[in-house]
Structures are given as structure tokens and as C-alpha cells.
């Protein structure tokens, strides 16, 4: 009985995380569509530098240049480790 309860909780957590990831992806797609509309698509939201075509082809929802993304990830790791 406890095992079934534990498995149910794990399944609910898994589904909840999946729904959250899908919601975040939809938000990023909507944001990219807004940037297309206002003419800022393809430019880094932090530096205003162009995002490489190669990056946009690989990740059309990218809002950061590769260098800005790498900086962002480094800062996340630093703050996560605190």
C-alpha cells in the first residue's frame, strides 16, 4: 500500500514537471513570436548583438547570444552552489 502511494506521488511529480516544462516552452515560443512582430527577433535581449543564424536554426526560441547564454549559465551555477 505504501509502495503504491509512493509510486503515485512519483508519477504526479513527473507529470507536474512535464506540464511545467511545456508551459515554459509555450512562453518562450510566444516571446519569440512577439520579438518577430516587433523586429527584435534574432538579437540578444541582453547585449542587442545579433544571434548567429546557426544558433537560431538550432534553437529558434533563443533570446540570448551564445556568449550571453554561457554567461547566464555560469551565473546560475555560481548562485546554485551558494
Amino acid at each position: 500500500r505504501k509502495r503504491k502511494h509512493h509510486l503515485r506521488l512519483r508519477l504526479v511529480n513527473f507529470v507536474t514537471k512535464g506540464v511545467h516544462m511545456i508551459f515554459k516552452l509555450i512562453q518562450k515560443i510566444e516571446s519569440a513570436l512577439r520579438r518577430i512582430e516587433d523586429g527584435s527577433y534574432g538579437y540578444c535581449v541582453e547585449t542587442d548583438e545579433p544571434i548567429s543564424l546557426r544558433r537560431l536554426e538550432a534553437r529558434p526560441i533563443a533570446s540570448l547570444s551564445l556568449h550571453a547564454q554561457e554567461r547566464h549559465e555560469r551565473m546560475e551555477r555560481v548562485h546554485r552552489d551558494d
Side-chain angles (χ1 to χ4, degrees), residues 19-32:
V19 169
H20 181 71
M21 288 173 56
I22 291 168
F23 181 72
K24 283 177 61 174
L25 179 59
I26 290 169
Q27 287 181 316
K28 289 178 182 184
I29 292 167
E30 289 174 339
S31 177

Side-chain angles (χ1 to χ4, degrees), residues 5 8 13 18 25 27 44 53 57 63 65 67 76-78 80 82:
H5 179 70
R8 278 193 193 115
N13 287 338
L25 179 59
Q27 287 181 316
C44 178
L53 184 56
E57 286 173 342
S63 62
S65 67
H67 295 294
E76 272 188 342
R77 280 193 298 272
V78 166
R80 188 174 5 142
D82 288 348

Side-chain angles (χ1 to χ4, degrees), residues 19-60:
V19 169
H20 181 71
M21 288 173 56
I22 291 168
F23 181 72
K24 283 177 61 174
L25 179 59
I26 290 169
Q27 287 181 316
K28 289 178 182 184
I29 292 167
E30 289 174 339
S31 177
L33 291 171
R34 281 192 301 275
R35 289 194 312 277
I36 289 170
E37 287 296 316
D38 71 19
S40 64
Y41 180 79
Y43 293 90
C44 178
V45 296
E46 284 189 5
T47 66
D48 288 326
E49 297 173 355
I51 299 172
S52 72
L53 184 56
R54 187 175 181 186
R55 177 159 169 73
L56 289 172
E57 286 173 342
R59 187 160 177 81

